[in-house]
Each structure stands twice: as C-alpha cells, then as structure tokens.
Amino acid sequence: MEYSPNKFKEKMEKYNFNLKKMYGQNFIIDENTINNIIECSKIDKDTLVIEIGPGAGSLTFKLAEYAKCVLCYEVDTTLKDLLEDNLNGLSNVNIIFEDFLKCDVLSDIKKYDYKKLYVVANLPYYITTPIIMKFIEDEVPVEKIVVMVQKEVGDRFKAKPNSKDYNSLSIYLNYYFDVKKILDVSKNVFMPKPNVDSIVIEFSKKSNMYKLNDSKMFFKLVKDSFNQKRKTLRNNLRDYDLIKIEEVLKKYNLDLSVRAEQLPIEIFVDIANNL
C-alpha cells in the first residue's frame, strides 16, 4: 500500500468516494506516524486487534502485518470498494460495516482464536468517549487500548489532580486503566487536515483495581463532586453525609472547602467506602 497524498486522492476519485464531515473522517496518510503507532502498540501474532473507523485502511494495512487478526468496524458503507482495493490479499482482516456503538462486540470476538485483545485505532473525534465507554460498560476483555484522539480530548483522559483538564471522566477511566500519552501527532499527517493536533493515548487495563464497596455509588459520588467544578465539596455534595465525608478528608489534612479537582482517585475511593 502506498501512503502518498496523491495516491490517496487517486483512489478516492477512482471509487467516487467523498469524505463525510458527519463521520469525522480525517484519514492518516503518513507511514512514519503509522509505524510509530504500531511500534508503541506492541502487537504480535497472538493479538486480535479491534479497529474502529479504518477509513481508507492505512492503519489497518500495517496492523494486519503484525497482528494475528484485525477486526474492523466501519459505519460508512461507501468505503467498501476503496477498502477492498487497499487491503487486497490480506486474509486476516475482517470488516463489519455497522455502527460500532450498536454492535455486540462480545459475540463478534467469539469467532476468533487469540491470546491478547487490543484496540488500536484513529478514533473519530466526535464519538471518542462513547467508544471507550462501550468497551468498559460491555465488559469487553481488552488488555490495552491505543488510540489517536484530538489533543484536547486526550488531555482530559490523562489529566492529573490540580490540572484544568482533570474531571470525572479522568477518574472514571483511571479507575479501570493506567493512562498515558505515547505520541504527539501533527495535524499535517491527515487528509483532509483537521484544525487541531492529535495525540496517541494508551489505556492499559489495571492489574490491581481499587476495592469498592459499591461501584455505582462511587461513580455517582465522583460525578456529583464535579457537578459545578469551581464549587467546593460542601456545595456539590449537600445531599450526602457531610460529617462522614469530612472525617475521611481530615485523614489527608483536608476539609469540605476542597474542590473535586484537587482530589486523587484514592481519596474518592476512601470517601465512597465510608459512606
């Protein structure tokens, strides 16, 4: 497969394919960037890779070279001919032309024999969070997720306490995964060129998750704590037992005047387990 912009344009013209803004289609056309993603992903011949939004197949082509199998989900059926051409001859790639958010992933992966399940994808910016949430909520046994996302979104995913990007989503994701940035990606490696730069984020499944007495209550507590980000816990958690919350906070030399963005996940866990 050739990665030059001219070749991509030729193929799109050949199959009368038009990019669709509604699907957030920005196709990566730089082979060096793709090679870096593959190297960071550490996929091998024991790995089943799930890719959401293969687009023109530029990343898919390289994934197929290193992985045992690649299972793709593509919502845009007008890409069929273009993908068939670009992935011609690859026997370990299967593309499901459906909306990933509506698919039964657990059922789909039963057809494969593999030792490791990874997600590697250039995610459409407009549905990045719902895609990652689906893997969690559907309890898909993914060991690692390596995704290219809009830099602003990625900054929230990997945010730490006392930073402007730290929010309830940061805590939610960090409960399940160790999250880190592994690569900066310039907007110049896409066609068409988006208005923003991207980053590649790695989510590695935590081997030792925090012990919670009631996970639903924990996540509700976290969400409510960030309800109005600039307000204190005293104001955001009026419907909770503030006496018990303050007792926990005192162990960390804090009180109810603290804001949610100042608290690491460990303190939220402690509060939830004492309510």
Side-chain angles (χ1 to χ4, degrees):
M1 182 173 176
E2 296 184 65
Y3 288 85
S4 74
N6 288 337
K7 287 293 180 183
F8 268 76
K9 286 175 183 175
E10 283 176 21
K11 288 280 182 75
M12 287 195 292
E13 288 171 6
K14 178 180 177 181
Y15 295 106
N16 296 313
F17 175 75
N18 295 308
L19 290 154
K20 299 171 185 64
K21 193 172 183 180
M22 64 181 287
Y23 292 141
Q25 289 175 333
N26 299 95
F27 297 159
I28 186 166
I29 55 173
D30 180 66
E31 189 172 7
N32 287 330
T33 301
I34 290 170
N35 286 335
N36 286 336
I37 293 171
I38 298 292
E39 184 180 347
C40 292
S41 302
K42 293 182 171 57
I43 60 175
D44 57 30
K45 292 302 178 182
D46 289 324
T47 312
L48 168 61
V49 175
I50 295 176
E51 183 187 13
I52 301 99
S58 54
L59 176 59
T60 319
F61 187 83
K62 288 284 186 178
L63 288 171
E65 183 180 340
Y66 290 89
K68 183 170 187 178
C69 295
V70 184
L71 171 61
C72 304
Y73 292 88
E74 177 55 63
V75 69
D76 188 356
T77 56
T78 66
L79 277 164
K80 278 185 178 179
D81 291 338
L82 178 57
L83 278 167
E84 241 177 59
D85 187 332
N86 283 341
L87 304 176
N88 184 40
L90 296 177
S91 59
N92 63 337
V93 176
N94 181 33
I95 303 174
I96 297 175
F97 284 95
E98 293 179 25
D99 182 350
F100 171 75
L101 295 177
K102 297 176 181 177
C103 289
D104 185 346
V105 181
L106 287 172
S107 177
D108 293 337
I109 62 177
K110 283 180 182 176
K111 303 164 189 173
Y112 295 88
D113 177 30
Y114 59 91
K115 292 182 180 176
K116 295 181 284 187
L117 179 63
Y118 290 180
V119 176
V120 184
N122 169 25
L123 292 184
Y125 292 162
Y126 73 108
I127 53 167
T128 295
T129 300
I131 286 173
I132 295 173
M133 298 285 276
K134 178 177 173 65
F135 282 107
I136 295 171
E137 290 167 1
D138 291 359
E139 297 183 352
V140 181
V142 173
E143 291 181 39
K144 186 190 294 185
I145 300 175
V146 178
V147 288
M148 185 168 5
V149 299
Q150 182 178 336
K151 185 179 184 301
E152 181 183 343
V153 174
D155 286 342
R156 289 199 296 272
F157 289 164
K158 66 180 181 61
K160 303 297 182 187
N162 294 303
S163 67
K164 65 180 179 64
D165 296 309
Y166 188 63
N167 61 14
S168 59
L169 179 61
S170 312
I171 294 173
Y172 185 83
L173 293 173
N174 277 275
Y175 173 74
Y176 292 100
F177 300 102
D178 292 316
V179 185
K180 66 177 181 179
K181 182 186 85 170
I182 57 176
L183 199 64
D184 289 302
V185 182
S186 166
K187 56 190 169 188
N188 296 316
V189 305
F190 296 94
M191 187 177 72
K193 183 166 73 171
N195 296 323
V196 295
D197 289 326
S198 301
I199 57 177
V200 178
I201 297 283
E202 178 186 284
F203 300 83
S204 297
K205 191 74 174 175
K206 272 189 161 68
S207 54
N208 293 307
M209 293 171 66
Y210 296 101
K211 288 184 172 62
L212 292 173
N213 296 336
D214 184 338
S215 60
K216 286 185 180 179
M217 195 272 283
F218 168 75
F219 291 121
K220 184 179 185 303
L221 168 74
V222 170
K223 186 177 179 181
D224 290 342
S225 297
F226 282 91
N227 185 36
Q228 295 186 63
K229 196 173 180 185
R230 300 310 299 167
K231 289 199 170 184
T232 65
L233 290 192
R234 178 180 284 108
N235 289 319
N236 280 334
L237 301 180
R238 286 175 180 171
D239 295 333
Y240 289 77
D241 187 332
L242 292 178
I243 294 174
K244 286 185 178 178
I245 292 174
E246 188 156 44
E247 285 175 359
V248 175
L249 289 172
K250 282 179 181 177
K251 294 194 292 184
Y252 303 95
N253 296 316
L254 298 168
D255 57 37
L256 290 168
S257 65
V258 72
R259 292 194 297 270
E261 66 187 32
Q262 298 171 259
L263 302 182
I265 187 172
E266 294 86 352
I267 295 182
F268 280 110
V269 169
D270 199 353
I271 293 172
N273 285 343
N274 279 278
L275 287 174

